[in-house]
Amino acid sequence: MLWLLILLPLVSWLAEFLPARGGAHRGYAGLPALAGCVLAFAGAVALVPALWRGEAVAGATLRLDFLGCVVVLLASGLGAVTIAFARRHLATAGAMLFGSMGLFVSAAIWTALTDQLIFLFVALEATTLTTVLPVAFRRTSAAWEATYKYLLLNTLGLSAGLLGLVLLYAAASPALGGAALSISALAAGGVQMPPRLAAVAGALVITGFGTKAALVPLHAWLPDAYQEAPGGFSALFAGVGTKLALVAMARVLPPLVGAAPSLGTALAVLASLSMVVGVALTFVQDDLQRLLGYSSVSQMGYIALAVAVGGSAGYGAAAYHMLSHGLLKSLLFLCAAALCETAGTLRLSELRERRRNGPVRTLFLLAALGLGGMPPLPAFWSKLQIFAAAARGGLGWAAGVAVFTSLLTLVTMIRTYNQAFGGEGDAAEAPTAGSAWLLGLVAGAAVLAGLVPGWITAMGG
Amino acid sequence: MGDAYVRSLPFLLLFTSLLAAEVRLLRWSVWAYGAQGWLLALLLAGIGWFSGNEALYAWAATVAASKGLILPWLLGRYVRGGGPGSGFGVERKAPPLAISLTAAALAGAAAFLLADRFGGWLLEGLSWERSWSGVPGLQIAAAILAVGSWTLLAHRDVAKTVIGVCLVENSVHLALVSLAPSLPETGEVGIVTDVILAVWLLLAVARGAAEAAGSRDTAAYRRLAG
C-alpha cells in the first residue's frame, strides 16, 4: 500500500507523455498528474485511522509515522491543487511541467516514507532533480541562472549529507549488521557512536540537508528559485520542497545528537539565524515571490528549531508547523500567481499604486495573518508548540528569538498585504477569481488545521 | 608488486584531478576526468582483489560505467557542442595556468596532509583504515575534494565548474567506498544514478544559461553572485 502512494504520481508522469505521438489534446495535459496526486492523497487519508490507532504501517523499506503522514498529505494534496491551478492559469504549461510536478510529488512521498538511509538521500536528491525543469520553466536568462545556482548548491550540499549518512551507517554496522541501513533500527538505539565521529557525521548532515532546507547561511538558492518558478509550481515548491530536508534531518539526527549533544545546539543556532535573517530580508524585497521566499527561509528556522529540540514534543511541533506553513505559504503563492495574472507584475512598488478587491485579496489577508501567527489559524498553535518545546528543552534563548521573529513576521505580512492589495489609487481590476475555489480549498484546510490543534497534537504524540 | 601497483593508483587519481581541473582545453580536461573514472575503477578492483573483499567489484563496475563512460560522454558531448562563448575565451579569464595549477596542487596536498593527520582522530572508532590495505583512500578523497572545490571557485567557464562538481562527486564516491565498502548494491546504483542525472541536468541548464546570457562565463551570471 505504501509503495502505491509513491507509484501513483510516478506512473502519472509516464501517462503525461502517452498522447505525444498522436498529438495531445490541450485538455489532457496535467490530468494524469492530477489524478495521480488525488489518488495518493486518498490513499494517505485511508491510512490515517491506522496511524491514529497507533498501528505500525510499514512495508519493504518504507514506514509511515505522523511526520511522514503530514508530508504525504501535504505533497499529494498541494500537488493536486497546484496542478489544477496550473492547468487553468499557465497557458504554456505542458506534459513536461505537469510530469515534473507528478515526479516531484512521488519523490517527496518517497522521502517521507523511506526507512532506508541511502534511499533517503536518493529520494531527497530526486526531489531536487525533478524540480529543475519547473524552476527553469520561463527559460529567461534569470530563470536559467537561478536554476543553475539551485542545482549546483543542492547537489554539492546533498553530497555532504550523503557522507554524513554513510558515516552513520559505517559506525552502526558493526553492532547492527545489515539493519544499520534501517532508520527505525538506528533510532531505536543500541548504537554507541564515539562523540567525535557523531559530531562529524552530524555536521555533514546538518550542512548537507541544511542547504536543501535553505537554512542561513546556506539559503542563497531559495529566493532566486522561488522568484523564477511559475506561480502554481512555487506554491507546491514552497509548501513541500524545503521541508523534506528537515524531515530527513529529523529521521537521522537522533542517534547522532544522542552521542554529541552539541549538534542540537548548533542546529538551534542555525535555526535562530534563519528565523531572524530571513524575516529581516523580507523588509527590503520588491518582488512578492522573492519576499515570500525569504519568509520561507525564516519559517524553516522554526521547523529546524523544533527538530533541534527533538523528542516527541519537538517532532510533533515540527510536523504541525510543516502542515500550517505548507498550507499558508502555498495559499500566499497561489494568491500571488492570481494577482500577477491581472496586474501583470509582482513588483510591490508598482502594485501599491492601485487598490485591489475581490476574493483573492481576502484569502491573501487570511494567509498573511495566519503566517504571522494570528489565532485560531494553525501557525499560531504550531509556533506556540515550538516556543514551549524549545523553552522546555533548555533552548529558552532560541524560543525568545522565535517569539521576536513571529512579531516581525506579522508586521512584514501585514505590510506586504497593504502594498500588494491596499494601494491608495483607484481600484484596479480584481485579481482573477477563476480558480478561487482552489484557493478556498487550501484556505479551508488551513482553517481546519487551526481549529483542531488537539487532534493533531494527540496524533503526533 | 601487485600491492605497489594498487598503492600507486591513488596518486595517479590526484594527478588526473589536477589535469581535469587545470588543462585549459576542455576536451583534454574531459579526457583527464574520464581517465580518473577508469583509475578509480581499477583501484577498487585492485583493492578488492588483494584484500579479498568481493563487494568492491560491484563498486568498480558501477564506477567504470558511470565515471569512466557515461559522465565523460555527457561532458564531451557538451564540450563538442560549443555554444556561445565557448573555446579558450572564458578560460583565459581564469587565474594564469602556473598560479592556478600551483594553488590547486597546494590545496590538494594540504587536504591530503590534514586528512592524514586528523582523519584517524576524527573518525576514531571506525574500521576504515583496516579495510583499505594501506591505501590512503580518505586522504586522496580529501585531496580530490580540495582540487574540485578550487575548480568551482577559481574557474569561470560553466563547463569547467561542472567538471569541478564531477571531481567533488568522485571524491565523495572514494570516501564512501573507503568508509562503507559493504554498502548494498541497490544503494550504490541509486547514488550513481542520482549523480548521472544531476550532471546531465547541470549540463542542460548550463547550456540554457549560456545561450540566454550569450556567454559561458559564470561571472556574467548575475544571480550566482548573491
Short mmCIF file of all heavy atoms in Angstrom, two decimals, chain A residues 156-194:
data_model
loop_
_atom_site.label_atom_id
_atom_site.label_comp_id
_atom_site.label_asym_id
_atom_site.label_seq_id
_atom_site.Cartn_x
_atom_site.Cartn_y
_atom_site.Cartn_z
N LEU A 156 25.82 19.80 -4.43
CA LEU A 156 27.01 19.78 -3.57
C LEU A 156 26.60 19.55 -2.11
O LEU A 156 27.22 18.77 -1.39
CB LEU A 156 27.78 21.09 -3.71
CG LEU A 156 28.45 21.31 -5.07
CD1 LEU A 156 29.04 22.71 -5.16
CD2 LEU A 156 29.54 20.27 -5.31
N GLY A 157 25.56 20.25 -1.69
CA GLY A 157 25.10 20.13 -0.30
C GLY A 157 24.69 18.71 0.03
O GLY A 157 25.09 18.14 1.05
N LEU A 158 23.89 18.12 -0.87
CA LEU A 158 23.40 16.77 -0.59
C LEU A 158 24.52 15.74 -0.61
O LEU A 158 24.43 14.71 0.06
CB LEU A 158 22.30 16.39 -1.58
CG LEU A 158 20.96 17.10 -1.33
CD1 LEU A 158 19.95 16.78 -2.41
CD2 LEU A 158 20.38 16.74 0.03
N SER A 159 25.60 16.03 -1.35
CA SER A 159 26.75 15.12 -1.32
C SER A 159 27.35 15.09 0.09
O SER A 159 27.76 14.03 0.57
CB SER A 159 27.82 15.57 -2.32
OG SER A 159 27.31 15.50 -3.61
N ALA A 160 27.41 16.26 0.72
CA ALA A 160 27.90 16.31 2.11
C ALA A 160 26.97 15.52 3.02
O ALA A 160 27.41 14.77 3.90
CB ALA A 160 28.01 17.76 2.58
N GLY A 161 25.67 15.68 2.79
CA GLY A 161 24.68 14.93 3.59
C GLY A 161 24.86 13.43 3.41
O GLY A 161 24.78 12.67 4.38
N LEU A 162 25.14 13.01 2.18
CA LEU A 162 25.36 11.58 1.90
C LEU A 162 26.55 11.04 2.70
O LEU A 162 26.48 9.96 3.28
CB LEU A 162 25.58 11.37 0.40
CG LEU A 162 25.97 9.96 -0.04
CD1 LEU A 162 24.86 8.97 0.27
CD2 LEU A 162 26.29 9.92 -1.53
N LEU A 163 27.62 11.83 2.74
CA LEU A 163 28.79 11.41 3.52
C LEU A 163 28.43 11.23 4.99
O LEU A 163 28.87 10.27 5.64
CB LEU A 163 29.90 12.45 3.40
CG LEU A 163 30.96 12.21 2.33
CD1 LEU A 163 32.02 13.29 2.40
CD2 LEU A 163 31.62 10.84 2.54
N GLY A 164 27.62 12.15 5.50
CA GLY A 164 27.17 12.04 6.89
C GLY A 164 26.38 10.77 7.11
O GLY A 164 26.58 10.05 8.11
N LEU A 165 25.50 10.45 6.18
CA LEU A 165 24.68 9.23 6.30
C LEU A 165 25.56 7.99 6.27
O LEU A 165 25.35 7.03 7.04
CB LEU A 165 23.66 9.15 5.16
CG LEU A 165 22.58 10.23 5.09
CD1 LEU A 165 21.62 9.94 3.94
CD2 LEU A 165 21.80 10.30 6.39
N VAL A 166 26.56 8.00 5.40
CA VAL A 166 27.43 6.83 5.28
C VAL A 166 28.29 6.66 6.53
O VAL A 166 28.54 5.54 6.98
CB VAL A 166 28.28 6.91 3.99
CG1 VAL A 166 29.36 5.86 3.97
CG2 VAL A 166 27.38 6.73 2.78
N LEU A 167 28.71 7.77 7.13
CA LEU A 167 29.45 7.68 8.40
C LEU A 167 28.57 7.03 9.47
O LEU A 167 29.03 6.18 10.24
CB LEU A 167 29.87 9.08 8.86
CG LEU A 167 31.19 9.62 8.32
CD1 LEU A 167 31.44 11.01 8.86
CD2 LEU A 167 32.34 8.70 8.71
N LEU A 168 27.31 7.45 9.50
CA LEU A 168 26.37 6.88 10.47
C LEU A 168 26.23 5.37 10.23
O LEU A 168 26.28 4.57 11.18
CB LEU A 168 25.01 7.58 10.32
CG LEU A 168 23.85 7.10 11.19
CD1 LEU A 168 24.21 7.17 12.67
CD2 LEU A 168 22.60 7.93 10.93
N TYR A 169 26.09 5.00 8.97
CA TYR A 169 25.97 3.58 8.62
C TYR A 169 27.23 2.81 9.01
O TYR A 169 27.15 1.73 9.62
CB TYR A 169 25.70 3.45 7.11
CG TYR A 169 25.91 2.06 6.58
CD1 TYR A 169 24.98 1.05 6.82
CD2 TYR A 169 27.05 1.75 5.84
CE1 TYR A 169 25.18 -0.23 6.33
CE2 TYR A 169 27.25 0.47 5.35
CZ TYR A 169 26.32 -0.52 5.60
OH TYR A 169 26.53 -1.79 5.12
N ALA A 170 28.39 3.39 8.68
CA ALA A 170 29.65 2.70 8.96
C ALA A 170 29.85 2.51 10.46
O ALA A 170 30.37 1.48 10.90
CB ALA A 170 30.82 3.48 8.36
N ALA A 171 29.41 3.51 11.23
CA ALA A 171 29.56 3.39 12.69
C ALA A 171 28.60 2.38 13.28
O ALA A 171 28.91 1.72 14.28
CB ALA A 171 29.34 4.76 13.33
N ALA A 172 27.43 2.26 12.66
CA ALA A 172 26.41 1.38 13.24
C ALA A 172 26.52 -0.05 12.74
O ALA A 172 26.02 -0.97 13.40
CB ALA A 172 25.02 1.93 12.91
N SER A 173 27.14 -0.26 11.59
CA SER A 173 27.11 -1.61 11.00
C SER A 173 27.79 -2.69 11.85
O SER A 173 27.31 -3.83 11.84
CB SER A 173 27.63 -1.61 9.57
OG SER A 173 28.87 -1.02 9.49
N PRO A 174 28.87 -2.39 12.61
CA PRO A 174 29.42 -3.47 13.44
C PRO A 174 28.40 -3.99 14.46
O PRO A 174 28.37 -5.20 14.75
CB PRO A 174 30.61 -2.81 14.15
CG PRO A 174 30.99 -1.67 13.27
CD PRO A 174 29.72 -1.19 12.68
N ALA A 175 27.56 -3.08 14.99
CA ALA A 175 26.58 -3.51 16.00
C ALA A 175 25.30 -4.04 15.37
O ALA A 175 24.71 -5.00 15.86
CB ALA A 175 26.25 -2.34 16.93
N LEU A 176 24.85 -3.41 14.29
CA LEU A 176 23.54 -3.76 13.74
C LEU A 176 23.61 -4.61 12.48
O LEU A 176 22.57 -5.08 12.01
CB LEU A 176 22.76 -2.47 13.43
CG LEU A 176 22.43 -1.56 14.62
CD1 LEU A 176 21.70 -0.31 14.16
CD2 LEU A 176 21.56 -2.30 15.63
N GLY A 177 24.76 -4.74 11.89
CA GLY A 177 24.88 -5.51 10.64
C GLY A 177 24.09 -4.85 9.52
O GLY A 177 24.11 -3.63 9.37
N GLY A 178 23.35 -5.66 8.78
CA GLY A 178 22.57 -5.14 7.66
C GLY A 178 21.50 -4.15 8.09
O GLY A 178 21.07 -3.30 7.31
N ALA A 179 21.05 -4.26 9.35
CA ALA A 179 19.99 -3.37 9.85
C ALA A 179 20.49 -1.94 10.06
O ALA A 179 19.70 -1.05 10.36
CB ALA A 179 19.42 -3.91 11.15
N ALA A 180 21.80 -1.73 9.90
CA ALA A 180 22.34 -0.38 10.10
C ALA A 180 21.83 0.59 9.05
O ALA A 180 21.96 1.81 9.21
CB ALA A 180 23.87 -0.42 10.06
N LEU A 181 21.25 0.06 7.97
CA LEU A 181 20.67 0.95 6.95
C LEU A 181 19.24 1.36 7.31
O LEU A 181 18.68 2.26 6.69
CB LEU A 181 20.67 0.25 5.59
CG LEU A 181 21.97 0.31 4.79
CD1 LEU A 181 21.83 -0.51 3.52
CD2 LEU A 181 22.36 1.73 4.45
N SER A 182 18.66 0.67 8.30
CA SER A 182 17.27 0.97 8.66
C SER A 182 17.21 2.17 9.61
O SER A 182 17.81 2.16 10.69
CB SER A 182 16.64 -0.26 9.32
OG SER A 182 15.51 0.13 10.07
N ILE A 183 16.47 3.19 9.20
CA ILE A 183 16.38 4.40 10.02
C ILE A 183 15.71 4.09 11.36
O ILE A 183 16.14 4.57 12.41
CB ILE A 183 15.62 5.50 9.26
CG1 ILE A 183 16.43 5.92 8.02
CG2 ILE A 183 15.35 6.71 10.13
CD1 ILE A 183 15.68 6.78 7.04
N SER A 184 14.67 3.25 11.32
CA SER A 184 13.97 2.96 12.58
C SER A 184 14.86 2.14 13.51
O SER A 184 14.82 2.34 14.73
CB SER A 184 12.64 2.25 12.31
OG SER A 184 12.84 1.17 11.43
N ALA A 185 15.68 1.25 12.96
CA ALA A 185 16.60 0.47 13.80
C ALA A 185 17.64 1.39 14.44
O ALA A 185 17.99 1.24 15.61
CB ALA A 185 17.29 -0.61 12.98
N LEU A 186 18.10 2.37 13.67
CA LEU A 186 19.09 3.32 14.21
C LEU A 186 18.47 4.17 15.31
O LEU A 186 19.08 4.43 16.34
CB LEU A 186 19.60 4.24 13.09
CG LEU A 186 20.55 3.61 12.08
CD1 LEU A 186 20.71 4.51 10.87
CD2 LEU A 186 21.91 3.36 12.72
N ALA A 187 17.20 4.60 15.07
CA ALA A 187 16.54 5.46 16.05
C ALA A 187 16.19 4.70 17.32
O ALA A 187 16.09 5.28 18.40
CB ALA A 187 15.28 6.07 15.44
N ALA A 188 16.00 3.37 17.17
CA ALA A 188 15.62 2.57 18.34
C ALA A 188 16.75 2.48 19.36
O ALA A 188 16.55 2.02 20.47
CB ALA A 188 15.21 1.18 17.89
N GLY A 189 17.92 2.94 18.98
CA GLY A 189 19.04 2.94 19.93
C GLY A 189 19.92 1.73 19.76
O GLY A 189 19.78 0.95 18.82
N GLY A 190 20.83 1.58 20.65
CA GLY A 190 21.75 0.45 20.58
C GLY A 190 23.02 0.78 19.83
O GLY A 190 23.94 -0.01 19.78
N VAL A 191 23.05 1.97 19.21
CA VAL A 191 24.27 2.36 18.50
C VAL A 191 25.07 3.29 19.40
O VAL A 191 24.61 4.37 19.76
CB VAL A 191 23.93 3.09 17.19
CG1 VAL A 191 25.20 3.44 16.44
CG2 VAL A 191 23.03 2.25 16.33
N GLN A 192 26.23 2.85 19.80
CA GLN A 192 27.09 3.69 20.62
C GLN A 192 28.14 4.34 19.72
O GLN A 192 29.14 3.73 19.39
CB GLN A 192 27.77 2.85 21.71
CG GLN A 192 26.82 2.18 22.69
CD GLN A 192 26.01 3.19 23.50
OE1 GLN A 192 26.54 4.23 23.90
NE2 GLN A 192 24.74 2.90 23.72
N MET A 193 27.84 5.55 19.31
CA MET A 193 28.80 6.22 18.41
C MET A 193 29.80 7.02 19.22
O MET A 193 29.42 7.70 20.18
CB MET A 193 28.05 7.17 17.47
CG MET A 193 27.34 6.47 16.34
SD MET A 193 26.75 7.65 15.13
CE MET A 193 28.21 7.96 14.18
N PRO A 194 31.07 6.98 18.84
CA PRO A 194 32.03 7.86 19.51
C PRO A 194 31.61 9.32 19.28
O PRO A 194 31.21 9.67 18.16
CB PRO A 194 33.35 7.55 18.79
CG PRO A 194 33.14 6.25 18.11
CD PRO A 194 31.69 6.15 17.81
#
